[in-house]
Amino acid sequence: MFGEEDGLTEDAIDALIAQAADEVADLPPATSALLDGSALRRRDRREERRTLGGTVRVLRTFVPLSGPMDNEAA
């Protein structure tokens, strides 16, 4: 059924599936925040705040010291 060219045998695949199932079984149960999406929304808001905070710190503003300011006397 499985080709030897990839090095995977049916026994090796079964062992990988069993190992993955064991790891998933050890995880804590999903909380209501994970199930209803509110945890994802909070994470997205935190990432947006970090991104905006970094952007605002990088932006530099200055007023030119010379040149027209559109408020010179005629």
Side-chain angles (χ1 to χ4, degrees), residues 2 13 16-17 21-23 30 32 35 38 44 47 53 57 67 71:
F2 297 100
I13 292 172
L16 289 171
I17 292 171
D22 289 343
E23 290 176 11
S32 61
L35 296 176
S38 61
D44 288 346
E47 288 178 358
R57 281 192 296 270
N71 58 358

Side-chain angles (χ1 to χ4, degrees), residues 36-65:
D36 70 10
S38 61
L40 176 62
R41 288 190 297 274
R42 283 194 308 272
R43 188 194 74 187
D44 288 346
R45 284 193 301 269
R46 283 192 308 270
E47 288 178 358
E48 289 168 2
R49 281 195 302 268
R50 280 193 296 266
T51 300
L52 288 174
T55 302
V56 170
R57 281 192 296 270
V58 171
L59 294 177
R60 295 185 318 182
T61 60
F62 64 95
V63 177
L65 299 176

Side-chain angles (χ1 to χ4, degrees), residues 26-32 34:
D26 291 340
L27 294 175
T31 65
S32 61
L34 287 175

Side-chain angles (χ1 to χ4, degrees), residues 5-17:
E5 66 275 356
D6 59 9
L8 292 175
T9 63
E10 190 168 355
D11 290 337
I13 292 172
D14 289 340
L16 289 171
I17 292 171

